[in-house]
Amino acid sequence: MNNILSKKPLIISGPCSAESRQQTIETCCQLAQSGRVDVLRAGIWKPRTKPGSFEGVGSIGLEWLAEAKRLTGLPIATEVATSKHVEQAIKYDVDVLWIGARTSINPFSVQELADALRGANVTVLIKNPMAPDVNLWQGAVERIINAGIKNVGLIHRGFASYNCEFRNNPMWHIAIEMKRRMADIPMICDPSHICGNRDKIALVAQKSSDLNYDGLMIESHISPDKALSDAEQQLTPQELIQILDQIKWRDTNFSSEKYTEILEVMRSEIDQIDSELINLISHRMKITDQIGEIKRQNNVAILQSDRWNQIIERLLNQTDRSTLSEDFLISLLEIIHLESIRRQTNIMNNQ
């Protein structure tokens, strides 16, 4: 089997769920006729948060996917969550299997799938776990690789959040760290699940391109508003093509000598600033340790809320908001503050 993941950008699309033969075949055929989709997808088993809602058609949907593959010549993909799912998907010659976020969060479940996949000639994609834990994500990937699967990829679909403009918080920094750790493994973005609605899909898709992702998985349905699952986040095939046509896929390398020279000068400047920042933070922590010792000697509480509020207010007032947003500044200060508290706590405990 050719390595599907070698295509860039790799575009995977199809309905959230296979609901009927007509809906599955028609959606897949329209996507294939566009010439813009590389892999056709459909959910077959769809356990929901609460029982009673549509939970997928089961293995009969694999027959519809297999028929779509015969009609279009395109490879097909579906999600697997149990060893039985793996067995049935392989029986129907599914080319790409993905492990969902509800499964990748559980090492026991991932290991069950790894054992079932051992020796299989399929491509396996691993979605980030629901929890924002890069080690958990990396561990899931390593279990699949250890099972002998040669073609492995990543899907960034966002993380569970209860206070975010998206359905699932993208937390781009975690995906970037995963790309750094596993640089040889392709990563695609799933804007459908990050957004939870079709209005922001184009924005998130472009963002992933800007960050040099290797492709996209976007849900498409011939009648999205009538979909039995995740209707709000699905696009018609025509809407999908419009978005794909708008995306600017960024070059990772540029041979212009002038560009290279300018970039090297600016990178050197950033390297120097980074060194100075680390030295300044290190010096700040030394002073923090001294303050912690004074607090210990005088039996003073570590956390001084008034002082912390004063620091936040002062720095917010003196910072140019056109260069540093309030959210970024507060996040940065909180990291420094937590490390200061940790160090002073150690000093108190070592008295």
Side-chain angles (χ1 to χ4, degrees):
M1 180 180 68
N2 294 331
N3 184 2
I4 292 169
L5 299 178
S6 62
K7 169 74 165 56
K8 183 175 180 179
L10 177 67
I11 306 299
I12 302 174
S13 187
C16 173
S17 300
E19 301 167 357
S20 69
R21 177 185 176 278
Q22 184 267 339
Q23 168 256 0
T24 304
I25 298 297
E26 187 170 339
T27 302
C28 289
C29 286
Q30 287 189 23
L31 292 170
Q33 288 166 6
S34 74
R36 302 297 301 278
V37 174
D38 305 297
V39 180
L40 301 170
R41 59 144 287 159
I44 303 300
W45 304 279
K46 301 291 293 185
R48 314 306 289 173
T49 301
K50 294 182 179 180
S53 56
F54 176 70
E55 296 193 324
V57 295
S59 58
I60 191 174
L62 292 172
E63 296 181 13
W64 307 335
L65 261 185
E67 184 177 354
K69 179 178 180 178
R70 290 193 299 271
L71 290 171
T72 65
L74 291 178
I76 54 176
T78 197
E79 178 179 351
V80 291
T82 70
S83 58
K84 185 177 180 181
H85 292 169
V86 172
E87 178 184 345
Q88 292 182 326
I90 291 175
K91 175 183 175 182
Y92 282 92
D93 199 25
V94 177
D95 304 276
V96 180
L97 307 179
W98 78 81
I99 299 174
R102 296 172 187 267
T103 305
S104 63
I105 198 171
N106 186 336
F108 290 103
S109 297
V110 176
Q111 188 58 54
E112 177 189 344
L113 292 176
D115 293 340
L117 285 162
R118 196 172 300 277
N121 185 24
V122 294
T123 296
V124 179
L125 306 176
I126 300 98
K127 287 194 173 186
N128 64 259
M130 299 289 287
D133 186 336
V134 69
N135 292 320
L136 200 57
W137 195 2
Q138 181 178 354
V141 175
E142 290 173 351
R143 289 177 188 276
I144 299 303
I145 291 175
N146 290 342
I149 302 301
K150 302 257 189 279
N151 298 327
V152 177
L154 305 166
I155 302 177
H156 174 210
R157 50 84 72 200
F159 302 86
S161 175
Y162 299 99
N163 184 24
C164 179
E165 62 178 308
F166 299 102
R167 177 184 178 185
N168 292 289
N169 193 335
M171 295 188 177
W172 297 101
H173 64 287
I174 294 179
I176 291 170
E177 172 60 15
M178 190 65 175
K179 281 170 64 68
R180 186 193 68 79
R181 293 187 184 188
M182 313 197 95
D184 295 332
I185 297 181
M187 178 185 288
I188 66 174
C189 184
D190 178 353
S192 301
H193 280 88
I194 287 177
C195 297
N197 67 72
R198 59 184 68 94
D199 296 337
K200 297 179 180 179
I201 286 177
L203 177 68
V204 171
Q206 183 60 59
K207 173 79 171 181
S208 68
S209 172
D210 295 342
L211 293 173
N212 195 29
Y213 280 52
D214 297 286
L216 299 166
M217 177 186 277
I218 300 179
E219 294 180 347
S220 180
H221 190 295
I222 51 172
S223 302
D225 292 334
K226 297 179 181 179
L228 299 181
S229 61
D230 291 344
E232 297 84 359
Q233 68 191 38
Q234 298 191 66
L235 302 165
T236 65
Q238 293 73 30
E239 290 169 337
L240 171 70
I241 301 311
Q242 289 177 2
I243 287 177
L244 294 178
D245 285 342
Q246 293 170 3
I247 296 173
K248 295 179 180 177
W249 295 99
R250 308 300 184 184
D251 292 331
T252 55
N253 296 298
F254 194 70
S255 58
S256 167
E257 185 175 338
K258 182 178 180 181
Y259 163 86
T260 303
E261 290 176 357
I262 294 173
L263 201 60
E264 284 304 313
V265 170
M266 298 177 75
R267 284 174 171 171
S268 295
E269 186 175 359
I270 284 179
D271 289 345
Q272 179 61 35
I273 293 172
D274 287 345
S275 296
E276 293 174 6
L277 278 173
I278 296 301
N279 288 334
L280 285 171
I281 292 173
S282 177
H283 183 61
R284 187 189 193 282
M285 291 304 168
K286 289 179 181 178
I287 297 175
T288 294
D289 292 346
Q290 295 172 7
I291 293 174
E293 179 61 27
I294 293 173
K295 288 178 179 177
R296 185 190 69 79
Q297 293 175 2
N298 291 274
N299 196 31
V300 174
I302 293 173
L303 182 60
Q304 304 289 319
S305 298
D306 290 344
R307 165 64 178 163
W308 174 238
N309 290 334
Q310 290 171 5
I311 292 174
I312 293 288
E313 184 176 356
R314 174 173 56 81
L315 291 176
L316 286 177
N317 288 335
Q318 73 179 43
T319 301
D320 182 358
R321 300 296 174 80
S322 66
T323 57
L324 292 178
S325 70
E326 180 175 330
D327 288 343
F328 170 78
L329 187 60
I330 291 176
S331 296
L332 177 63
L333 292 173
E334 284 178 346
I335 291 172
I336 294 173
H337 189 226
L338 288 173
E339 175 62 12
S340 299
I341 291 174
R342 186 191 68 79
R343 296 170 72 100
Q344 291 189 5
T345 300
N346 288 341
I347 290 171
M348 288 287 191
N349 291 336
N350 291 331
Q351 57 183 331

